[in-house]
Amino acid sequence: MRFLITAGPTREPIDPVRYLSNRSSGKMGYALAEAALGRGHEVVLISGPVNIPAPDGATVVRVETAQEMYDAVAERIGEAEVAIFCAAVADYRVAEVAGEKIKKTGETLTLTLIKNPDILGSARSVFGFTGLLIGFAAETEKLAEHATGKLLRKGCDLLVANDVSRSDIAFDRDENEVELFYRDGRHETLARASKREIAEGLVERVEELG
Ligand code: CTP
């Protein structure tokens, strides 16, 4: 199958030397790309800035901002049969990016942020994607409630939820443990394992759904 995978964080510029971002390392998305390639699938990997080499055989599109990731997905999703949105996209960006470096003149500094486009949320409604849609959710509380809400709201077939309040898994770790919520109401746990093993488990389940 042809996979499109988003991975890593996005960077939202504040001025020429500063940006807003998050702790995503990209490891989960890159592990998914490796697992899919290893099982004979084609992969387009749309990646925010990370320190991981490109997986052999993947087509990698590098982006910085959420808007650039949105544009790259819009351009490529039509060719995909499976779309996995693993990136930790910044929900907001700075309303007016300063053209020059901001000087520390005041005691406080207020930045106005405006909402970024929801890429996963646009897959069905804007891009008209009809393939298998898999979303991720990073939650610190009420995991099942928030995850199933996202699954339905964004039109996913499968939602992969991480409990990011745990320091032993998820963000910037080599291991993960995820809860899977399916559109048909099924729920399953993939017990703590390396991100590569979790990725293999996810790709297997995607194959079963396809
Ligand atoms: N996502 C995306 N584009 C965004 C934000 C999120 O594609 N601008 C995708 C992520 O890649 C992930 C899922 O949506 O697959 C995570 O959604 P999240 O931001 O956690 O969900 P929201 O519904 O925006 O809820 P929250 O209020 O928790 O941010």
Side-chain angles (χ1 to χ4, degrees):
M1 288 191 280
R2 292 186 298 270
F3 280 58
L4 176 146
I5 300 172
T6 71
T10 65
R11 275 184 191 168
E12 310 299 326
I14 298 170
D15 69 13
V17 296
R18 303 183 177 99
Y19 57 79
L20 296 173
S21 193
N22 59 64
R23 288 170 49 205
S24 169
S25 62
K27 285 175 186 165
M28 192 65 236
Y30 277 62
L32 276 165
E34 300 267 6
L37 288 161
R39 298 173 67 87
H41 302 292
E42 282 176 36
V43 175
V44 173
L45 180 61
I46 300 179
S47 175
V50 299
N51 292 311
I52 312 176
D56 263 354
T59 301
V60 183
V61 181
R62 296 189 188 280
V63 297
E64 293 250 329
T65 66
Q67 185 62 52
E68 287 169 11
M69 188 172 277
Y70 179 94
D71 293 341
V73 170
E75 201 180 312
R76 308 300 295 255
I77 197 168
E79 298 151 26
E81 292 155 299
V82 178
I84 307 183
F85 288 79
C86 192
V89 183
D91 286 327
Y92 293 87
R93 67 178 179 276
V94 175
E96 277 180 55
V97 179
E100 305 295 337
K101 187 180 167 201
I102 299 172
K103 305 304 282 181
K104 52 178 174 308
T105 44
E107 282 310 307
T108 62
L109 173 68
T110 304
L111 293 173
T112 301
L113 305 181
I114 55 174
K115 222 177 199 163
N116 272 327
D118 185 342
I119 312 170
L120 171 59
S122 305
R124 301 268 190 233
S125 57
V126 182
F127 309 144
F129 179 66
T130 55
L132 283 175
L133 188 61
I134 294 99
F136 271 71
E139 305 295 348
T140 57
E141 46 144 21
K142 296 185 190 154
L143 186 113
E145 187 184 323
H146 287 150
T148 47
K150 268 171 212 180
L151 170 86
L152 300 174
R153 208 164 54 242
K154 303 194 186 198
C156 298
D157 296 291
L158 169 62
L159 199 290
V160 184
N162 271 308
D163 178 351
V164 288
S165 65
R166 286 173 57 176
S167 59
D168 58 332
I169 53 170
F171 269 126
D172 207 20
R173 298 284 172 181
D174 292 322
E175 294 196 314
N176 208 350
E177 177 175 304
V178 295
E179 303 284 331
L180 307 185
F181 298 89
Y182 293 87
R183 195 171 49 179
D184 64 8
R186 274 184 302 137
H187 170 227
E188 182 185 9
T189 304
L190 296 188
R192 185 174 163 180
S194 71
K195 286 187 172 173
R196 180 58 194 262
E197 286 168 290
I198 297 282
E200 294 282 347
L202 283 172
V203 174
E204 260 173 53
R205 280 154 183 83
V206 167
E207 288 167 356
E208 285 163 15
L209 287 172

